[in-house]
Amino acid sequence: MVFWKTFLFSIQLPKKQAVFQLNRIAMDITVFYMFILLFIVSIPSLVDQLTETTGLGANMNIVFQLIYFFMFYYLILTIMVFLLITAIAYMFTWVAKLMHRKLKLQLMWKMVAYTTTIPFILYTIIDLIYPISDKYLLISVFYTVLLQFKIIAVYPKRK
C-alpha cells in the first residue's frame, strides 16, 4: 500500500502536496521503490533475452538466462541509475543553496528518484510496443532536471 501511494504521489510531482508527502516517506522505502521501478524498466530487455532464438544465450537454460540477466543487466542498470541519481541530487543541493532553499542531499536524492517514475514507465510501455535503445533512458535525465528546478521552487526560502 505504501508503494502504491508513493507511485501516485510521484506521478503528481511537482505539486506542492505531492512533494511534501514524498518528503515524509522513509529513505528505505524510496530505495526499495527504485529497485521495483528499475525491475519494471528492465522487463522489456528480459523478455527480449528470454525469447531470443539465436546468439549466445539462446541455448542456455532459463535459470542461467535469469542469472545472466540479473548479473549483467539489472545490476549494472541499478548501479548506473543510483550513481546518476546521486550526482544529480548533489548538483541540485548547490542549486538549492543558490536559490536560498535549505535542502539536504537526502531530500534531493528522494525527489530525483521520484521524478524518474514517469519517464521510466513511459520507456517501459514504449519498449514493450516498439523496441527502442536503452540510450533513450537518458532522456529521463532532462525531464528530471527540469522537474527538480520546479520542486526546489516549491520549498520556502531560508529566513
Side-chain angles (χ1 to χ4, degrees):
M1 192 66 172
V2 172
F3 295 111
W4 182 248
K5 286 182 182 179
T6 303
F7 173 74
L8 293 178
F9 285 129
S10 65
I11 288 177
Q12 297 173 12
L13 284 175
K15 290 183 182 176
K16 190 174 188 175
Q17 180 189 9
V19 170
F20 290 122
Q21 288 293 327
L22 289 171
N23 183 20
R24 291 185 183 100
I25 294 175
M27 191 62 158
D28 58 340
I29 300 293
T30 304
V31 170
F32 196 69
Y33 176 81
M34 284 305 298
F35 281 126
I36 294 170
L37 190 60
L38 289 172
F39 178 73
I40 291 170
V41 167
S42 62
I43 287 175
S45 295
L46 177 61
V47 169
D48 287 345
Q49 182 179 344
L50 293 176
T51 57
E52 186 81 22
T53 57
T54 60
L56 181 65
N59 297 328
M60 274 198 276
N61 186 347
I62 192 165
V63 174
F64 291 120
Q65 283 183 332
L66 290 173
I67 291 170
Y68 179 82
F69 173 78
F70 282 107
M71 285 180 63
F72 296 108
Y73 184 83
Y74 180 74
L75 179 64
I76 293 170
L77 175 70
T78 303
I79 291 170
M80 287 174 37
V81 168
F82 275 53
L83 287 174
L84 188 61
I85 287 173
T86 304
I88 292 171
Y90 183 73
M91 179 183 71
F92 273 99
T93 56
W94 290 97
V95 171
K97 202 176 269 190
L98 290 173
M99 293 174 70
H100 304 290
R101 304 306 201 271
K102 191 175 181 181
L103 298 171
K104 303 277 186 206
L105 180 64
Q106 178 183 1
L107 177 67
M108 297 305 295
W109 199 96
K110 285 196 291 188
M111 290 302 122
V112 171
Y114 291 133
T115 58
T116 61
T117 301
I118 292 175
F120 284 177
I121 297 296
L122 283 175
Y123 169 81
T124 303
I125 292 169
I126 292 170
D127 197 28
L128 284 172
I129 296 169
Y130 178 77
I132 56 176
S133 173
D134 292 342
K135 293 176 185 172
Y136 288 104
L137 284 172
L138 292 176
I139 294 173
S140 66
V141 172
F142 298 113
Y143 176 81
T144 299
V145 166
L146 179 68
L147 218 56
Q148 207 60 29
F149 279 112
K150 291 181 179 183
I151 288 172
I152 291 173
V154 165
Y155 283 93
K157 289 188 175 187
R158 281 188 227 174
K159 293 183 180 183

